[in-house]
Structures are given as C-alpha cells and as structure tokens.
C-alpha cells in the first residue's frame, strides 16, 4: 500500500516511550507525519487540530487516563472514526484489553513493541481509517442527497419525472444496498409485515436476493425467519418518521450490516445497507487472539516483565504479580527489592545472568528457587533477552517467567516415591519376582526368565539371586509343570491378572500367587506364604463340622452327610440314635465338668466300637447319632450290644454310664431317609422309658454315696436325722408307708450338698458369709436332683422346705405355718436337734436337756409347737 502522508498522533506522558515508538514508526514509514501529546487533554486538542489517521494511546497518564481519552474521542462526531491503538507494558493484561475494547479502541499492542506487529497494526488502522472516512462521507452524502431528493419530490410535483430518474440512477449506482418498503397493517393499524417496493443493484449484491424474486412480496415471504422485533422497529420508522441507525447480524444471510432506516413518505421506510462483515470478522479475530493470549499465559503460569535501563523502571504483567504474591493494583517492587524474592543461591545465579545481559546482551535461561510474600517457597523458570535500539545499544530488558513449582514438587515426590517403592520392594514380606516370557515361533509361551527377585522371594522359595537372575525357570526349577508356564504366559501376553493357591513339595508350604503384567511380555509374581492361614481355615472348617467337647461330628455335618449318604450304593443304611440317661441330674449334682466327662466318655466308647466308614455325631445336649452305611438291622444291633457292654463296665466319678439306644434301617430307595431318622428316634425314646426310672434311682443312690464319701460327718448326720424323723412320725400316728417316706426324706434331706465343696462341708471352724450363702442353696439343689424321678418327686418337696420356719423367717421360699408340709416341719426339728447335740470343733455339743430347752424356746417361732411337744415329751422321754 502507499505509505505517504500518514498522520499519526502519539499520546503518552513518557517522552522516552514516544521517542522509541516514533523511531520504530519512522523506520517503517519514512514520510509519515508524527504528532506528540504528553497528556490526554493535549492529545484531544491535537486530534481535533491535525485529524490524524491513527492514534497511539498510553493507558496510565496523569489527570486523564487512556480509557477516558478513548471514550471522549469515540463520542466526538468528528474524531470518533479515528482508529485508536492502546499501548501497554502488560502483554497478558486481559482486563485492560477488555476495557480498551469497551471504550471503542480498535487494537491493543504490548511492550516491547515488535516492529513487524507495529507495521501491520498501522497498515490495518490506515485501511480502517480510509474505509471509515469513505463510508462516513459517502453515507453522509448519500443520506443527505436521498433526504433532499425525497423532500424535493414531495414538494415539487412538477419536477417528479426528472427527480425520479435522478433517484433511480442514484440508487442503482450506489455501492450500498438500498431497499424501499411499504408496511402492512392489521385492523388495529399495527405493523405486522412489510412489502418490498424497490431495491437497487447494491442490495442484490450484498444480500444475494434477486430483484425479480422479492419485489411485491413481504419480508416474511422472502425471509420467513425474520423476527417480529425488527418488523416493529421498521414499522416505527415508517409510522413516526423517526430515523434509525444500527448494526445488525442477518442470520439468514450470515452477514453483518450497518443499517440506516428512514421514512421517505408515510407508511413507507427505506433502508441503506452497508456490508461490514469483514470488519466485524477482523474485530472478532483480534478479540479472540487477545483473549487466547491472555488465557494461555494464565494456564501456563507464564508472566512477563520489562526493565527500562535508563529509568530502572520495571513493569510486570498481571500473571507475574500472582506468581510472586503481589497485588496487581500496586506497582511492582523496585529492582533493588527483587533480591528478597529469591533464595540466596538463586539470586546469585540471577544477578550474574542480569549483569551479563545488561553489559553484553547475552540472553539467559535459569530455574530458580523463590520466596513468595507469604514466606512460602516455590520454583520459577526465567528467561531474559536484551532489547536494542537501531544503533545496537541496550535500552531495555525483557523477560518471561513460568511457575514450575508443581513440576519441581512432582520431581521430588517422584524421587521419594521411587525410593519408597524401592524400600517397599526390598523390605516387603511377600516375595516378588519379575519375569519375561519366552515364546516359540507360533507365539506360544515355552519358558520365562527371571529379571529380578526380592529378598523375601529367596527366603520363601529357598533360592538365591545368583541361582535365578537371568536364568530360565526350567533351569532353576527343572520340575516346573508346563501349565504354570501357560498360566504366566497368558498373563504376560494378554495383561489379564491371575490368582492361585498351591502347595510346594520342596518347601512343604502353601503359597498364594498373584500374577499381573507391568508391561507386555513381562509378568510379576507376588508370592505370600499362606500356610498358617490354610491351617487356620482347616481349623475353622473342622470347628464348623465338629462338636468342640467330644470331637465328634456336629448336627450340621450329620445333616449334610445324611443327604450325601442317601444313595443306592449305601443301602441298607441304618441310623442309630442314643441318649444319655440322667445327664441333668449329674450336672445338677456334680457340676457340668463331671457331666462333660460323662459325654466325652460316652463319645469315646461309641467311636471305639464303630467302624471307620461310620459317621458318629453329637446332635446336641445328651443325644448322639450314628450313620451306618451298608449295614442291616442285625449287624447294627450287634454294634449297639458292644457299645452297651463297654458302657456298663464304665463309671465316671463313681457313677455308671447309662445310654438308651434305638435304631431304624432304610432298606430300599423309596423309603425316606428322614423318616428313618424319626423311626430311630422313636425307638430310642421307647427304650429310654424302660431304662429311665431305674437309672435315675440308681443315680440318686450314687449321689448319696458320693456325698457320704465326701463327708463322714454328713453321713452320720443324715442317718441320725432319718431315725429321728421315723420316730416322730410313728409317735404321731403316721401310716407305715408315710413313716417310711419320711425316713427316706430324712436320709436324703441334705443331698443338695453334693455340689458344695467338701472343704466347706468338713470345715472345723464356723462358716464365713460366702460359705454360708453356698450352704443355704442346698435345699433347692436337692429338690432339683430328687424331682427328676417319680420315686423321689414327693420327697423332693419335703427336702425343698425343710429349712422353712413356722414364723416365715426361714428359706428358700419364706413360707410359714401350715403352708410348710408337716414332713418338712418334722425334718426341721430332727435336723436342729441333731445339729445341737453333735460335737463341733468350733462349739461344744448341747446336752439333751439343753437341746430340749432350746427347741421349746423356739417352739411357735422356728418350729411347729405340736411336733416339738411330741418329740420332747414322747420320743426323747421314752428313748
């Protein structure tokens, strides 16, 4: 383009900046006229005086900043078309760019100014200025001419023909598009559409619509997407005569237009279109480029700075402020303060680099450790370059800075992670080995090589690194099975992990093997010794299927095994059910430890008699069951006889074992195995009816004998009380049967003491509180033992209440008077008398007279007075 006679106005309060910019402009445009202004007010005056083609405007100036100057220029009718280019030291200053565009500026250029960018900007602005001048002059001239001619046509009817011809020539030859419309009204005289009356050639060129296709048609017929808001705006012009000037984007045509609308006559309006699409696209591209540049600096954490050598003034971009923790609204710290932003070692490096670049123009690139205003440390990548004038003198320094703290932290973290995993690899309890698979010509795995192993691997598998590293598995472990090579090969080639548990004969241990592929063609094996875990699982399995007391199978296993054994191959299948007789009495009398011994001894005998293939289970409590496969009834009866024979010859704690048995046999498939179990239970319960009573009676005898063995004193006491009870009952006229019953009650009245420690029973001194509390429980214990048999059930009631008192102060129920059975009242008198007249180490025995007097004293309170009277006056008197 022609660069002559370009007029440029520079408005900047810094004379140095003006000089530099003027030099760059004159170098590119030799015959350009350059005007200077050191403040905004001076710049406005100079613009009005010289009417420049381009204005370069600084942002920060005293009195009136660049934004205010720009707004005043754009509001001025004469100056508003002059392109304004803002100059800033902040290349990434997004906020200033946005404000500049909002003020109406056409462009934005950052320091340091690139010569080629400056040249391109001036050329672009000159084009915009030329086009604006031409458009302004042309639009103004045409608008004035059209208005004038339109008015003349209205006033001067006699010159219509000539005016119409001139008008026709005018509108057909103009480069802008011109269209004349007539509005269409509804019944309420609202504009609802408009019709094309005439269009010029320029309209056809701008819109692509042909004259013959649109004349006489409405806009909604031609452009159906036209919004009602535009119809109303144009209708307002036609109905009121008020002109309208605006810019508009026509979506149907994908173009931007500057539109002037006016009313040549009532209910008509004319529109003059200027295509500004290219200008708008240029503006949008510039705006987008500026936004992308700012965003890229923000995303990349890059800031820039500029140092004026002459003034020692530093200018920072906004991103640089953020990096060092400063407020962008404040000026950057002076160069002398920059030392505080770096660690001493880093500042020494930067100082040396700055000295070299200031003196010789040598660029630098460093990574420095920084100190932010909040005291935190970081890392910055910095690069600096020198800016020289046309004479080669260094006039400024320019630099870029990028925050690389995250990268540095990542490097440190990576190093720590590598060290951590190295230690983890070497110190982990699991064995870890890395291998590379070897394949044949068909790609099938045939072997693999040891690449690395950790210490735990050597310890777990009994190998050394020297034995393994670099060697094939077939060389290290010649007996390795082929399927392991196939499994590991699949992992290495497909990436699919695998998990296996296996037993290694060479070590006699169980291992869990997890295999995965860290990269194609390789696989890692993580080996854990799970021997103890396996043993624990086996123990859990054993416990889940076995009775913990006897070691026999439990009910769960019995039920599962019963279903499993219910097959034709096991027929005839016989079930034996067994139930211990009198176990509750034994538990109540001797404690659960003796009862447990009873159960274990029974289990031991059954197990000893039964065969290896038989399933023996404790179903719970005192019940046992045996599954006998391929066993008929006759053979099963023989087994029961053997068990009974061994039981009969066995005692536990001087008590004979007693177990009732029953059996049932499934001889054919149609029979239900569950029904067989039920039949065996019924047979066992039938047998138990016959054996139950006699066994329990025997048990009572065993208990009494055991009690007498524990304490000779108790033995003698029980016999004397029995004799006294018999004498009182006979004297009171009881029947022979009743006398015998109370004699027995007197003999067993202290049977509940079987569960009391014999140290307490035989204690020479008086009992303490706890010992006495234990003694007081024996009536209830005796009642529980005796009530288990029909033979002793009535006697049990006498034993329970023999420590009750006539006045209700006794135990365990606290009943009184006649509520207490007479047999219990007799036992109470007999028991008390024998206790008083018996020698104790801690007390002297009462004489008969003393004992009688004590009974009389307590008669009517502790004892039944009638019974005391019979005993003292009749039984004792006659003895």
């Amino acid at each position: 383009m022609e660069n002559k006679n370009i007029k440029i106005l520079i408005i900047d309060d810094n004379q140095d900046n003006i000089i530099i910019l003027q030099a760059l402009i004159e170098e590119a445009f030799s015959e350009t006229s350059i005007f200077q202004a050191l403040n905004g007010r001076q710049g406005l005056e100079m613009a009005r005086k010289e009417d420049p083609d381009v204005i370069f405007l600084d942002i920060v100036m005293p009195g009136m900043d660049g934004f205010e100057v720009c707004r005043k220029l754009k509001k001025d009718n004469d100056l508003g078309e002059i392109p304004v280019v803002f100059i800033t030291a902040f290349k990434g200053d997004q906020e200033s760019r946005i404000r500049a565009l909002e003020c109406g500026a056409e462009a934005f250029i950052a320091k340091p100014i690139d010569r080629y960018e400056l040249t391109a900007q001036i050329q672009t602005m000159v084009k915009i200025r030329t086009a604006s001048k031409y458009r302004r002059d042309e639009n103004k001239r045409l608008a004035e001419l059209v208005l004038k001619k339109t008015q003349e046509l209205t006033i001067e009817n006699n010159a219509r023909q000539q005016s119409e011809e001139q008008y026709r020539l005018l509108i057909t030859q103009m480069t802008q598009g011109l269209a004349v419309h007539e509005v269409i009204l509804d019944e309420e005289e609202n504009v609802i559409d408009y019709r094309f009356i005439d269009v010029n050639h320029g309209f056809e060129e701008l819109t692509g619509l042909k004259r013959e296709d649109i004349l006489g048609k409405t806009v909604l017929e031609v452009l159906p997407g036209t919004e009602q808001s535009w119809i109303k705006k144009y209708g307002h012009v036609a109905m009121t005569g008020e002109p309208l000037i605006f810019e508009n984007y026509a979506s149907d045509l994908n173009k931007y237009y500057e539109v002037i609308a006016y009313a040549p006559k009532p209910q008509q309006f004319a529109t003059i279109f200027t295509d500004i699409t290219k200008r708008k696209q240029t503006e949008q591209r510039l705006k987008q480029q500026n936004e992308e540049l700012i965003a890229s600096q923000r995303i990349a954490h890059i800031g820039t700075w500029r140092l004026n050598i002459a003034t020692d003034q530093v200018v920072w971009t906004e991103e640089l402020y953020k990096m060092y923790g400063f407020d962008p609204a404040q000026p950057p710290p002076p160069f002398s303060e920059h030392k505080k932003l770096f660690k001493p070692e880093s500042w020494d490096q930067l100082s040396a680099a700055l000295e070299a670049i200031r003196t010789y123009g040598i660029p630098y690139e460093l990574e420095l450790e920084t100190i932010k205003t909040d005291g935190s440390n970081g890392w910055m990548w910095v690069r600096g370059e020198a800016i020289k004038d046309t004479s080669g003198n260094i006039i400024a320094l320019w630099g870029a800075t990028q925050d690389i703290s995250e990268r540095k932290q990542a490097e440190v973290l990576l190093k720590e992670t590598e060290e951590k995993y190295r230690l983890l690899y070497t110190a982990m309890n699991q064995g870890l080995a890395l291998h590379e698979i070897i394949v044949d010509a068909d790609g099938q795995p045939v072997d693999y090589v040891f690449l690395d192993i950790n210490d735990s691997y050597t310890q777990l598998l009994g190998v050394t690194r020297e034995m393994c590293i670099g060697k094939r598995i077939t060389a290290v472990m010649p007996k390795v099975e082929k399927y392991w090579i196939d499994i590991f090969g699949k992992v290495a080639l497909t990436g699919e992990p695998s998990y296996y548990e296996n037993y290694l004969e060479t070590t006699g241990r169980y291992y869990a093997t997890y295999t995965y592929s860290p990269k194609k063609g390789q696989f890692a094996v993580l080996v854990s010794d799970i021997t103890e875990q396996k043993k624990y699982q086996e123990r859990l399995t054993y416990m889940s299927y076995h009775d913990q007391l006897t070691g026999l199978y439990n009910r769960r296993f019995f039920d599962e095994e019963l279903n499993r054994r219910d097959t034709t191959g096991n027929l005839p299948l016989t079930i034996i059910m067994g139930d211990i007789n009198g176990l509750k009495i034994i538990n109540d009398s001797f404690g659960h430890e003796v009862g447990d011994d009873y159960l274990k001894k029974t289990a031991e005998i059954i197990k000893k008699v039964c065969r290896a293939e038989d399933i023996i289970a404790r179903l719970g409590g005192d019940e046992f069951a045996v599954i006998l496969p391929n066993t008929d009834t006759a053979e099963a009866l023989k087994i029961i006889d053997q068990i009974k024979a061994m039981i009969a010859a066995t005692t536990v704690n001087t008590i004979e074992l007693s177990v009732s048995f029953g059996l049932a046999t499934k001889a054919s498939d149609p029979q239900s195995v569950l029904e067989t179990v039920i039949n065996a239970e019924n047979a066992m319960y039938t047998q138990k009816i016959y054996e139950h009573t006699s066994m329990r009676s025997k048990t009572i005898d065993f208990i009494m004998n055991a009690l007498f063995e524990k304490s000779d004193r108790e033995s003698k006491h029980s016999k004397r009380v029995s004799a006294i009870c018999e004498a009182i009952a006979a004297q009171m006229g009881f029947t022979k049967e009743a006398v015998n019953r109370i004699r027995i009650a007197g003999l067993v009245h202290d049977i509940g003491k079987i569960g009391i420690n014999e140290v307490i029973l035989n204690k020479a001194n008086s009992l303490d509180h706890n010992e006495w509390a234990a003694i007081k429980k024996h009536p209830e214990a005796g009642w529980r033992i005796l009530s288990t048999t029909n033979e002793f059930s009535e006697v049990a009631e006498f034993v329970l209440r023999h420590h009750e008192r006539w006045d209700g102060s006794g135990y365990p129920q606290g009943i009184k008077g006649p509520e207490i059975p007479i047999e219990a009242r007799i036992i109470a008198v007999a028991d008390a008398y024998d206790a008083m007249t018996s020698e104790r180490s801690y007390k002297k025995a009462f004489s008969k007279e003393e004992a009688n007097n004590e009974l009389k004293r307590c008669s009517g309170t502790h004892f039944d007075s009638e019974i005391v009277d019979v005993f003292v006056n009749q039984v004792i008197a006659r003895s």
Side-chain angles (χ1 to χ4, degrees):
M1 66 169 284
E2 185 65 32
N3 294 332
K4 295 181 179 180
N5 300 322
I6 298 174
K7 296 165 70 177
I8 295 176
L9 171 60
I10 302 173
I11 305 174
D12 195 325
D13 64 323
N14 190 318
Q15 188 64 48
D16 291 339
N17 293 341
I18 294 175
I19 292 171
I20 293 170
L21 183 58
Q22 182 172 346
L24 292 172
I25 294 171
E26 289 177 347
E27 184 179 358
F29 304 90
S30 58
E31 297 184 19
T32 301
S33 298
I34 298 176
F35 307 95
Q36 303 177 8
L38 295 176
N39 56 58
R41 192 174 301 281
Q42 193 178 60
L44 291 171
E45 293 175 357
M46 186 67 70
R48 293 190 183 94
K49 179 180 177 182
E50 300 299 334
D51 191 25
D53 296 304
V54 183
I55 297 175
F56 285 91
L57 181 58
D58 190 21
I59 294 177
V60 181
M61 293 185 295
M64 186 187 303
D65 63 15
F67 299 126
E68 183 63 22
V69 175
C70 182
R71 280 193 288 271
K72 289 183 178 292
L73 286 168
K74 294 304 179 180
K75 287 181 179 179
D76 193 300
N77 292 333
D78 296 324
L79 305 178
E81 295 292 333
I82 301 174
V84 176
V85 180
F86 272 94
I87 306 173
T88 179
F90 305 91
K91 180 164 281 189
D93 190 355
Q94 184 176 7
E95 181 181 355
S96 295
R97 289 175 178 268
I98 293 172
R99 290 185 63 187
L101 293 173
E102 290 176 347
C103 292
E106 277 71 16
F108 199 95
I109 191 167
K111 302 173 186 176
I113 299 172
D114 183 87
R115 175 174 176 269
Y116 297 102
E117 181 183 4
L118 177 66
T119 302
Q121 288 280 22
I122 293 174
Q123 290 174 343
T124 301
M125 295 304 108
V126 170
K127 287 182 180 180
I128 292 173
R129 176 59 169 159
T130 303
S132 298
K133 282 183 176 180
Y134 176 80
R135 184 178 69 253
R136 181 187 63 186
D137 295 340
E138 185 70 10
N139 288 348
K140 184 177 180 181
R141 183 179 68 81
L142 290 175
E144 291 173 352
L145 186 58
V146 170
L147 286 170
K148 180 179 179 182
K149 290 303 179 182
T150 302
Q151 292 169 355
E152 288 177 354
L153 287 172
T154 305
I155 298 171
E156 299 175 6
N157 190 39
N158 58 349
R160 180 181 297 276
Q161 185 66 38
Q162 182 180 355
S163 297
E164 286 181 353
E165 178 61 21
Q166 290 176 345
Y167 173 70
R168 187 188 65 78
L169 291 173
L170 179 64
I171 65 175
T172 55
Q173 298 302 318
M174 65 190 296
T175 56
Q176 287 83 0
L178 177 62
V180 181
H181 307 275
E182 181 178 57
V183 297
I184 299 172
L185 308 177
D186 60 13
E187 294 179 356
E188 297 178 357
E189 295 192 351
N190 295 317
V191 178
I192 59 173
D193 204 345
Y194 54 84
R195 185 176 290 105
F196 286 89
I197 298 175
D198 197 8
V199 297
N200 70 348
H201 180 69
F203 181 90
E204 292 181 303
E205 290 294 321
L206 290 174
T207 65
L209 300 173
K210 298 300 181 182
R211 176 185 178 89
E212 58 271 18
D213 295 333
I214 63 175
L215 290 186
K217 295 182 179 178
T218 69
V219 71
L220 293 177
E221 292 173 336
V222 177
L223 301 171
T226 303
E227 297 177 3
Q228 282 295 322
S229 59
W230 290 113
I231 295 175
K232 290 181 179 180
K233 286 182 180 181
Y234 290 139
H236 183 76
V237 174
M239 301 302 288
T240 65
E242 296 178 8
L244 182 66
I245 301 175
F246 59 91
E247 292 181 358
N248 181 45
Y249 173 71
S251 58
D252 290 345
L253 303 173
N254 194 27
K255 289 187 177 183
Y256 287 93
Y257 295 101
E258 182 181 70
V259 182
I260 300 174
Y262 62 94
K265 59 185 296 188
Q267 297 190 6
Q268 287 188 2
F269 68 93
T271 52
I272 299 175
F273 294 86
T274 303
D275 188 345
I276 59 170
T277 303
K278 290 185 179 180
R279 191 192 82 189
K280 282 290 184 180
Q281 290 173 344
T282 300
E283 291 175 356
Q284 290 174 353
R285 281 196 300 272
L286 287 173
K287 182 179 179 181
Q288 183 178 356
Q289 289 171 0
N290 290 334
E291 291 175 350
E292 289 176 352
L293 177 61
I294 293 169
S296 64
Q297 285 197 353
R298 175 178 56 78
I299 294 170
H301 294 297
I302 295 177
T304 57
W305 57 269
R306 179 184 174 89
L307 172 65
N308 188 310
I309 297 295
T311 63
D312 212 27
Q313 181 183 8
V314 181
V315 178
W316 288 6
T317 61
E318 182 177 356
E319 189 63 27
L320 194 60
Y321 275 98
K322 294 179 181 178
M323 288 183 193
Y324 288 108
F326 288 102
D327 183 1
Q330 301 297 323
F335 186 73
S336 59
E337 294 292 313
H338 288 189
K339 180 178 180 179
K340 298 177 181 178
L341 302 177
F342 299 92
K343 286 289 188 75
E345 305 82 15
S346 294
W347 176 250
D348 292 343
Q349 296 180 54
L350 182 59
S351 297
L354 288 171
E355 183 64 28
I357 195 173
R358 289 176 73 123
T359 306
Y360 306 108
I362 301 172
Y364 65 84
E365 186 171 331
L366 302 169
E367 290 185 357
L368 306 173
E369 191 170 5
T370 61
I371 305 173
K372 297 183 180 179
T373 54
D374 62 2
S376 61
N377 295 337
W379 283 87
M380 300 290 182
W381 167 87
V382 297
R383 177 176 175 79
E385 295 180 356
I387 300 173
K388 301 178 180 179
D389 59 17
T390 54
S391 302
N393 298 315
I394 299 173
I395 59 175
L397 301 180
W398 177 90
T401 302
Q402 183 177 25
D403 188 341
I404 59 171
S405 300
E406 290 183 1
R407 194 199 81 195
K408 282 290 187 179
Q409 290 172 358
E411 290 175 356
V412 172
L413 182 60
L414 179 61
K415 185 176 180 180
E416 291 176 350
T417 302
E418 288 175 348
E419 178 64 16
K420 179 179 71 175
Y421 281 110
R422 186 188 67 79
L423 292 173
L424 180 64
Y425 174 77
T426 57
M428 65 192 299
N429 291 328
Q430 289 86 355
L432 185 61
L434 180 64
H435 305 277
E436 187 169 67
I437 201 71
I438 298 173
V439 297
D440 59 15
D442 298 325
Q444 297 301 312
V446 294
D447 209 335
Y448 56 85
V449 176
F450 282 87
L451 299 180
D452 197 8
I453 58 175
N454 68 353
D455 292 342
S456 294
Y457 187 91
T458 64
Q459 295 168 9
L460 287 173
L461 298 181
V463 296
T464 64
R465 292 180 61 83
E466 293 72 21
M467 289 171 56
C468 299
I469 304 301
K471 297 183 175 61
R472 297 189 175 197
I473 186 63
T474 51
V476 177
M477 299 179 181
K479 294 183 179 180
V480 65
E481 296 174 348
K482 177 65 168 58
Y483 78 91
W484 285 114
I485 297 175
D486 293 337
I487 289 171
F488 294 149
K490 182 179 179 182
V491 174
L493 298 175
T494 66
E496 296 179 8
S498 67
Y499 175 85
Y500 294 95
E501 294 181 2
N502 64 304
Y503 177 77
L504 193 61
E505 291 184 359
T506 56
T507 61
R509 310 286 291 178
Y510 287 95
Y511 299 98
T513 304
Y514 176 72
T515 312
Y516 62 96
S517 176
K519 62 182 291 187
K520 190 171 180 62
Q522 292 184 0
F523 66 94
V525 178
L526 188 64
V527 181
S528 302
D529 187 334
I530 59 171
T531 304
E532 295 305 317
Q533 180 182 337
K534 278 288 187 183
K535 290 179 179 178
Y536 178 70
Q537 288 175 348
E538 290 172 358
R539 286 196 298 272
L540 286 179
T541 302
Y542 179 86
M543 291 170 63
S544 67
Y545 285 111
H546 286 78
D547 174 55
Q548 301 306 302
L549 178 65
T550 63
L552 300 179
Y553 291 117
N554 58 16
R555 182 63 182 253
R556 176 185 175 188
F557 185 84
F558 176 82
D559 291 340
E560 292 180 6
E561 194 66 12
L562 185 65
N563 291 326
R564 194 177 72 83
R565 296 291 183 109
D566 186 17
T567 62
T568 304
N570 285 321
L571 296 179
L573 182 68
T574 298
I575 307 297
I576 294 177
M577 301 296 289
D579 189 272
I580 294 177
N581 296 314
L583 182 62
K584 185 177 186 303
I585 300 176
I586 295 169
N587 285 331
D588 291 340
S589 304
F590 299 98
H592 285 275
E593 288 186 7
V594 175
D596 289 348
D597 290 340
Y598 209 91
L599 287 165
K600 287 188 281 187
K601 181 60 70 173
T602 302
E604 181 184 323
I605 292 171
I606 296 174
K607 191 174 182 181
K608 189 177 293 185
V609 173
C610 288
R611 306 159 302 186
E613 65 270 22
D614 299 332
I615 303 299
I616 309 166
R618 181 188 173 202
L619 302 186
D622 52 6
E623 195 171 41
F624 296 86
V626 184
I627 302 174
L628 304 170
N630 305 118
T631 306
D632 58 19
T633 301
E635 189 175 353
L637 285 171
K638 291 178 182 178
I639 292 174
I640 290 177
D641 288 341
Q642 293 178 46
I643 294 173
K644 282 184 173 183
M646 290 188 69
I647 286 175
T650 305
T651 61
V652 175
N653 207 29
T654 73
I655 303 171
E656 292 181 6
L657 289 180
S658 174
V659 182
S660 297
F661 290 99
L663 65 82
T665 302
K666 177 180 177 179
S668 60
D669 281 329
Q671 290 180 255
S672 167
V673 72
L674 294 179
E675 185 179 344
T676 304
V677 172
I678 293 171
N679 291 337
E681 285 181 335
N682 292 337
M684 179 265 292
Y685 286 129
T686 300
Q687 187 66 25
K688 196 173 184 67
I689 291 172
Y690 295 115
E691 298 174 352
H692 178 78
T693 303
S694 61
M695 180 56 204
R696 292 204 172 185
S697 297
K698 281 184 181 180
T699 304
I700 299 297
D701 293 339
F702 293 145
I703 293 170
M704 289 306 300
N705 290 335
L707 175 62
F708 295 160
E709 286 178 7
K710 287 173 68 173
S711 173
D712 181 62
R713 187 172 68 191
E714 287 295 332
S715 174
K716 293 176 180 179
H717 168 70
S718 295
K719 292 175 182 178
R720 289 195 297 267
V721 169
S722 176
I724 294 171
C725 288
E726 182 180 12
I728 293 173
Q731 195 63 42
M732 292 182 71
F734 281 39
T735 65
K736 185 179 180 180
E737 183 180 350
V739 171
N740 186 55
R741 184 164 56 244
I742 198 168
R743 178 184 62 79
I744 295 172
L747 184 65
V748 299
H749 78 282
D750 278 342
I751 192 172
K753 290 182 179 180
I754 189 64
I756 299 173
N757 192 304
E758 60 187 272
V759 174
I760 299 175
L761 294 177
N762 296 317
K763 187 174 183 181
N765 300 323
S766 59
L767 303 178
D768 62 24
H769 175 76
N770 292 331
E771 292 169 340
W772 181 242
I775 288 290
K776 289 177 71 173
K777 293 179 181 178
H778 79 274
E780 294 174 277
W783 173 82
R784 285 195 298 271
I785 295 169
L786 296 170
S787 62
T788 58
T789 66
N790 292 331
E791 182 182 352
F792 290 98
S793 60
E794 192 172 7
V795 171
E797 298 298 324
F798 310 154
V799 170
L800 174 64
R801 297 174 175 88
H802 78 275
H803 277 290
E804 301 290 352
R805 290 179 177 178
W806 187 258
D807 61 2
S809 62
Y811 63 89
Q813 296 176 319
I815 60 178
K816 62 183 179 178
E819 294 176 0
I820 307 170
I822 190 169
E823 292 87 352
R825 286 178 264 158
I826 291 172
I827 297 172
V829 172
D831 187 38
Y833 179 81
D834 185 72
M836 288 187 287
T837 56
S838 298
E839 189 75 30
R840 297 285 192 272
S841 60
Y842 57 87
K843 77 173 184 68
K844 186 179 178 181
F846 282 19
S847 65
K848 289 184 180 182
E849 185 178 354
E850 288 173 332
N852 289 341
N853 290 335
E854 184 66 19
L855 288 174
K856 290 176 183 179
R857 187 182 70 81
C858 295
S859 177
T861 56
H862 290 186
F863 309 112
D864 183 341
S865 58
E866 181 184 356
I867 295 174
V868 172
D869 181 65
V870 169
F871 177 65
V872 172
N873 296 321
Q874 297 181 39
V875 175
I876 295 297
R878 295 179 181 179
S879 62

